[in-house]
Amino acid sequence: MSAYLISMATFVGFFMILALALNLQWGMTGMVNFGIAGFYALGAYTSGLLSVKLGWPVGITIAMSCVTGLIAGGLVALLSMRLREDYLAIVTLGFGEIVRLIALNEDQITEGPRGLKIDARPFADMFDRETYPLVYLGLVAAAVAVVFVIVECIRRSPMGRTLRAIREDDVVAEVLGKNVLRHRVQVFALGGAFMGLAGALYAHYVQNISPEVFMPMVAIFIWMSVIVGGAGNNWGLLLGAGVVMTILEGSRFMGDFIDFLDAEQLSAIRIIVIGVLLIAILRVRPRGLIPEPKFSFATSTTQQERQPSTENAK
Amino acid sequence: MAEDLLEAENVCVGYGRGDIVHGVDVSVSAGRIATIIGPNGAGKSTMIKTIAGVLTRREGSIRIDGREIGGKPASEIARCGVAYVPQEANVFRQLTVTENLQMGSWIEPKEFDDRYEKVCALFPILKERAKVRAGNLSGGQRQMVAFGMALMVEPKVLLLDEPSAGLSPAMVEQMFDIIKQVNKTGIAVLMVEQNAMQALKISDHGYVMAAGQVAMSAPASELLDSSEVSELYLGTRQ
Amino acid sequence: MSGQLIINGIVNASLIAPPAIAFSLLFGILRFPNFAIGAYVTVGAFIAYALNVGAGMPMWVAGLGAMAGTAVVVWLSDVLVFKPMRGHTPVTLLVVSIALALIIEHVIRLFYGADVRGFDLPLERPIKFAGLRITGEQIDIIVMTIVIGIAIHLLLQYTRIGKAMRATADNETLAEVRGINTSYVIAFTWFICGALFGLTGVFAGLDLVIEPLVGWYLTIPIFAAAILGGIGSPYGAMLGALLVGLAEELTVLVLPSSYKIGVGFVIIAVLLLIRPHGLLGQPEIKK
């Protein structure tokens, strides 16, 4: 049981890194990313392949995952610089699906659906099999902490203020002389790097990665985490990631009590619960359960708050 | 004053927390023209949108011929004889000019042919450009489509939000002539105008709005003569 | 070889065109890409399956039933989910639509599992000419799509409700001001679109297979067709569908067929780069 909890906590850690990255891109800057699974997969396969095929040391392969995530994020942002946010949703989703398709189809390299076996693990020879999961959890926790500190520092810095200005209205930000494009690319690239890091940590943890893990649904879980926690709020989404993982994993135990449903039906119910909760939360609290703290400048005149008196027109 | 055609009493409207319009009374009698002038942000447009039903009043009463219309959806208010011409986005850009006019007579489709001739007599250009998409017209022509659409019903009262905005000086002149002409057929007009001087010249009554309230209400000629008004709104605004 | 690919492409296009038109019509009202459209298609396929295989009805009855049933489901999705949230930001609505897609897909899984199914139809030999093959069902799909395209054109161009649909999509506030009961027009639009999605589900069941993800695989080609044609323009959507349908099949000449579903994305990405408003679309002024 404790082994199970440790494993669950480790997965919560991956979710937290992804959620922090999405918060940087969307919550703080307003850039939509539905290709999270793609960046996650890119990180996992980069580190996995470099270690399996070229035998590079784990530390370096994980760093390379961040680099590929960074580059991919930058490129996606550059490509879509002129797009409205809903088009960006389609482009990023497409990016994710194409990464997955490549992993699935180029099986001479990636082993395709059979899955890529990865032996290398960081610090594996320094600890015994019993304590290693705990060590890995510590490693993931450290990564979460580092990413959290970076994202939080950005949020509090003058750059964070600029990013919020871009989120509220990029035309205004442009007029104010902020270089919107440069900031958007930087933020998207950095988010991509964090997602790559999460992917690499995931790959060396499960030691067998296959494309079916990286379905677009991953993005929904992360969006759920950020939205539950409150977009723009870094503390909140750590909680959000925990809540989402608990719903996903905790409902496994329902099987012990509800024996007339098979495993597949239970998993379907899990997703339905997540979906209904997501819609319910967005409807009741569009800014999340723990909203972003207000800043001195105009965040109070967003569309939602202006809404009530124009309802009659709809 | 006797029972007016359009009466708005103690109307309060607002976005979010604060009200933009606080307790405004406006009325127009049948066959008359009334104009609301005032500085930007005074709540003039908000007031006219509220009468049209595009915004919902928080408090107060709005009546047409004594019948309460406050709180009704805009489509029902239109059926009570109110025709509203918004300042912006006032044509269907993807529809042709004729289709726009058909939308104008939506509530009285049988009258289309008859009204079409009347409206085209006022704005001959609408017939010439019948098959052109409204979005491809010039600003002035679009304004005519918008105006023509409102006249495809024979409204009791016409609500105009800045009818002269964005028009060339010659066209402004023409627009006010047309408003006057329309009014002569018995249609009451309530408009909001930045071109205060010209608007008041054709109006019977004028309101000055400031900070969401009616600061002055007087016959148009009195406002034109008032030194206070001319200093604040007439001299500076041309 | 390539002649066959063109035939396949046309069949493919006929599958994409009706939902692309529907997506375009809905976009006019919603102003955000509704990711649940794939799930709607899946609903259509499974209703037709339940009526045809489960209840033993003839295919054409099952098809009409699927159109009606899906129209109701799609309309309910507006009443229960989207209508109460109108006025929220496009991104919020987009996330909601993805969540809705997941819910629908997994409700279907709950009852039908992940098995691959097909309609109960007699096996027919494909018609062959000059070395090319096409099945009777594929011909039905092409013919029906052409009929639907003409019917939608007539509806939008010449009927009162069709013009009101265009006016409402163009400028909802103004439509309301001119006396059009826009909530009725919007509900009608959802019904029509729902019927189109339902019909696509039937087509997908005829030409592909019936499984919980069948609609999801069509989502991106549908988006691609609608964006290619200029989002919000139903005629453009038809042209877009033809191009996407052909492009998907012709890529088989240069790439393994397993990459087919990536083609839609690539088309979208390239197109958005060179023409952000689509081929026939008009620039939209950003408010």
Side-chain angles (χ1 to χ4, degrees):
Chain A
M1 189 60 204
S2 77
Y4 177 75
L5 282 182
I6 291 172
S7 145
M8 197 171 136
T10 312
F11 273 101
V12 170
F14 303 145
F15 268 40
M16 284 176 173
I17 299 176
L18 294 175
L20 285 165
L22 179 64
N23 200 32
L24 179 64
Q25 295 175 334
W26 177 64
M28 287 161 56
T29 322
M31 299 177 76
V32 183
N33 185 352
F34 280 100
I36 297 170
F39 291 98
Y40 195 41
L42 200 63
Y45 275 98
T46 302
S47 189
L49 287 171
L50 287 176
S51 129
V52 172
K53 305 276 167 175
L54 301 179
W56 289 14
V58 179
I60 295 177
T61 62
I62 293 179
M64 287 309 290
S65 290
C66 297
V67 173
T68 46
L70 188 84
I71 295 170
L75 283 179
V76 169
L78 267 179
L79 277 177
S80 41
M81 60 189 181
R82 286 188 305 162
L83 299 185
R84 289 205 330 234
E85 55 192 4
D86 39 2
Y87 287 165
L88 185 59
I90 300 173
V91 170
T92 50
L93 184 71
F95 167 78
E97 283 288 85
I98 285 169
V99 171
R100 190 175 66 84
L101 281 178
I102 293 173
L104 189 65
N105 290 310
E106 299 306 317
D107 52 355
Q108 285 106 329
I109 305 170
T110 63
E111 304 294 332
R114 288 188 302 279
L116 181 69
K117 289 209 177 13
I118 303 160
D119 290 325
R121 307 184 98 175
F123 312 118
D125 42 0
M126 292 161 63
F127 300 94
D128 60 43
R129 285 176 62 89
E130 299 296 306
T131 50
Y132 188 72
L134 213 51
V135 173
Y136 207 93
L137 177 60
L139 186 70
V140 172
V144 172
V146 169
V147 172
F148 182 87
V149 167
I150 296 175
V151 174
E152 189 64 16
C153 281
I154 294 175
R155 190 177 74 84
R156 286 159 189 258
S157 72
M159 183 175 169
R161 188 167 276 248
T162 309
L163 298 181
R164 278 186 297 278
I166 295 174
R167 180 186 69 189
E168 300 301 328
D169 190 339
D170 50 9
V171 178
V172 169
E174 191 86 69
V175 170
L176 289 174
K178 315 289 187 189
N179 191 331
V180 173
L181 175 63
R182 188 165 53 96
H183 280 101
R184 284 171 64 111
V185 172
Q186 280 172 349
V187 161
F188 214 79
L190 189 59
F194 292 152
M195 290 174 184
L197 172 68
L201 289 173
Y202 166 79
H204 294 283
Y205 179 71
V206 297
Q207 295 193 292
N208 187 336
I209 49 173
S210 62
E212 86 233 8
V213 178
F214 304 106
M215 293 290 281
M217 203 182 294
V218 173
I220 287 304
F221 297 147
I222 304 306
W223 274 83
M224 176 82 188
S225 304
V226 173
I227 287 166
V228 168
N233 181 329
N234 290 321
W235 286 106
L237 64 86
L238 294 184
L239 177 73
V243 169
V244 171
M245 188 52 98
T246 310
I247 296 172
L248 274 176
E249 289 295 314
S251 51
R252 277 184 205 280
F253 299 109
M254 276 176 13
D256 300 342
F257 305 106
I258 311 169
D259 46 9
F260 52 88
L261 293 172
D262 60 30
E264 191 168 357
Q265 287 174 317
L266 275 177
S267 113
I269 289 179
R270 280 210 297 269
I271 310 283
I272 294 171
V273 169
I274 292 264
V276 171
L277 277 180
L278 184 56
I279 295 179
I281 292 172
L282 281 171
R283 180 151 158 197
V284 182
R285 303 206 59 160
R287 300 204 144 240
L289 292 182
I290 311 171
E292 180 183 17
K294 291 262 153 113
F295 285 85
S296 52
F297 67 95
T299 48
S300 58
T301 51
T302 56
Q303 203 180 351
Q304 277 137 32
E305 294 179 11
R306 246 189 267 138
Q307 181 55 21
S309 58
T310 55
E311 256 163 18
N312 209 22
K314 303 286 167 187
Chain B
M1 221 183 271
E3 183 82 338
D4 283 320
L5 174 65
L6 169 70
E7 274 182 305
E9 238 181 313
N10 189 31
V11 172
C12 302
V13 214
Y15 302 92
R17 265 146 272 158
D19 278 357
I20 290 181
V21 169
H22 330 260
V24 166
D25 296 350
V26 167
S27 63
V28 192
S29 343
R32 298 297 186 91
I33 301 181
T35 296
I36 307 176
I37 60 171
N40 285 327
K44 309 181 300 278
S45 271
T46 305
M47 186 62 204
I48 208 160
K49 279 180 187 154
T50 308
I51 297 174
V54 174
L55 299 177
T56 313
R57 53 122 183 68
R58 205 203 294 281
E59 253 179 75
S61 155
I62 303 169
R63 291 182 301 273
I64 289 279
D65 274 340
R67 209 173 130 205
E68 181 66 40
I69 57 165
K72 286 191 180 177
S75 57
E76 269 184 58
I77 293 175
R79 286 164 200 269
C80 298
V82 176
Y84 162 61
V85 182
Q87 183 189 352
E88 282 168 335
N90 53 15
V91 298
F92 298 107
R93 302 173 64 93
Q94 304 289 328
L95 273 56
T96 65
V97 170
T98 308
E99 284 171 339
N100 266 280
L101 296 179
Q102 283 172 346
M103 288 299 124
S105 66
W106 174 263
I107 53 179
E108 296 170 344
K110 290 199 183 85
E111 310 291 325
F112 177 81
D113 293 330
D114 182 36
R115 304 265 167 80
Y116 180 74
E117 292 308 323
K118 283 186 187 162
V119 168
C120 287
L122 271 180
F123 305 105
I125 189 94
L126 298 187
K127 212 166 207 172
E128 279 167 44
R129 316 221 64 185
K131 296 229 181 300
V132 180
R133 279 187 186 199
N136 296 340
L137 297 175
S138 71
Q141 291 170 345
R142 233 180 282 160
Q143 198 72 6
M144 293 183 196
V145 174
F147 210 116
M149 227 194 303
L151 296 175
M152 289 301 289
V153 287
E154 263 162 19
K156 290 178 188 155
V157 55
L158 195 56
L159 304 176
L160 304 173
D161 194 350
E162 308 261 358
S164 74
L167 298 183
S168 67
M171 294 241 359
V172 171
E173 198 82 16
Q174 203 189 335
M175 188 52 88
F176 283 118
D177 277 348
I178 289 168
I179 295 172
K180 198 121 209 234
Q181 238 173 297
V182 167
N183 172 252
K184 284 210 179 103
T185 66
I187 297 171
V189 177
L190 175 64
M191 64 177 154
V192 162
E193 251 306 328
Q194 295 279 5
N195 252 321
M197 177 89 83
Q198 272 166 293
L200 286 175
K201 274 183 188 158
I202 64 162
S203 301
D204 300 294
H205 198 87
Y207 296 90
V208 180
M209 270 184 82
Q213 287 175 317
V214 173
M216 269 171 127
S217 162
S221 51
E222 266 179 46
L223 289 182
L224 281 169
D225 292 338
S226 145
S227 58
E228 196 186 344
V229 172
S230 52
E231 216 171 276
L232 282 172
Y233 307 113
L234 303 181
T236 51
R237 274 267 165 213
Q238 278 309 315
Chain C
M1 178 66 189
S2 62
Q4 184 64 46
L5 289 179
I6 287 173
I7 290 185
N8 295 349
I10 292 173
V11 174
N12 197 5
S14 307
L15 215 64
I16 301 170
I21 296 169
F23 171 74
S24 256
L25 288 174
L26 279 186
F27 188 88
I29 297 169
L30 298 171
R31 302 274 150 202
F32 78 92
N34 184 348
F35 272 77
I37 56 169
Y40 298 153
V41 170
T42 312
V43 168
F46 274 87
I47 293 179
Y49 174 81
L51 294 178
N52 173 244
V53 178
M57 292 179 185
M59 195 59 231
W60 66 273
V61 179
L64 287 177
M67 287 173 77
T70 312
V72 172
V73 171
V74 168
W75 171 70
L76 278 177
S77 81
D78 182 44
V79 173
L80 298 176
V81 180
F82 294 117
K83 197 173 181 182
M85 297 190 69
R86 219 157 278 159
H88 281 66
T89 60
V91 174
T92 307
L93 292 168
L94 198 147
V95 176
V96 165
S97 76
I98 296 181
L100 179 66
L102 280 178
I103 294 171
I104 294 176
E105 180 201 324
H106 285 86
V107 166
I108 291 171
R109 275 180 200 276
L110 194 59
F111 292 105
Y112 288 95
D115 299 344
V116 168
R117 295 151 200 273
F119 292 126
D120 179 19
L121 288 172
L123 270 181
E124 276 180 55
R125 263 170 200 285
I127 301 156
K128 290 183 187 169
F129 60 94
L132 305 175
R133 331 153 30 102
I134 187 165
T135 66
E137 284 140 15
Q138 289 176 327
I139 294 177
D140 291 346
I141 292 174
I142 296 172
V143 170
M144 275 195 270
T145 293
I146 293 171
V147 171
I148 290 283
I150 294 170
I152 294 283
H153 170 75
L154 296 177
L155 173 78
L156 290 178
Q157 218 60 39
Y158 298 106
T159 68
R160 196 168 143 80
I161 182 78
K163 283 179 189 171
M165 282 166 72
R166 281 160 61 214
T168 305
D170 190 319
N171 188 335
E172 193 181 323
T173 307
L174 186 61
E176 183 74 28
V177 163
R178 293 284 80 92
I180 298 172
N181 183 340
T182 50
S183 25
Y184 166 73
V185 173
I186 289 172
F188 183 82
T189 308
W190 278 96
F191 263 102
I192 293 283
C193 293
L196 289 175
F197 291 126
L199 181 72
T200 310
V202 178
F203 287 175
L206 287 173
D207 194 51
L208 310 167
V209 291
I210 302 170
E211 56 134 333
L213 279 174
V214 61
W216 169 251
Y217 295 132
L218 287 172
T219 305
I220 293 307
I222 295 169
F223 281 171
I227 294 174
L228 194 58
I231 214 158
S233 142
Y235 310 112
M238 293 183 219
L239 179 66
L242 187 62
L243 295 177
V244 172
L246 285 173
E248 280 201 327
E249 293 297 331
L250 292 175
T251 39
V252 179
L253 292 174
V254 286
L255 275 175
S257 63
S258 43
Y259 280 109
K260 212 172 96 172
I261 54 173
V263 172
F265 284 119
V266 175
I267 292 177
I268 294 174
V270 171
L271 194 89
L272 290 178
L273 288 179
I274 50 176
R275 270 209 66 128
H277 312 294
L279 286 182
L280 304 180
Q282 298 195 343
E284 192 180 321
I285 297 154
K286 195 174 169 181
K287 279 179 222 151

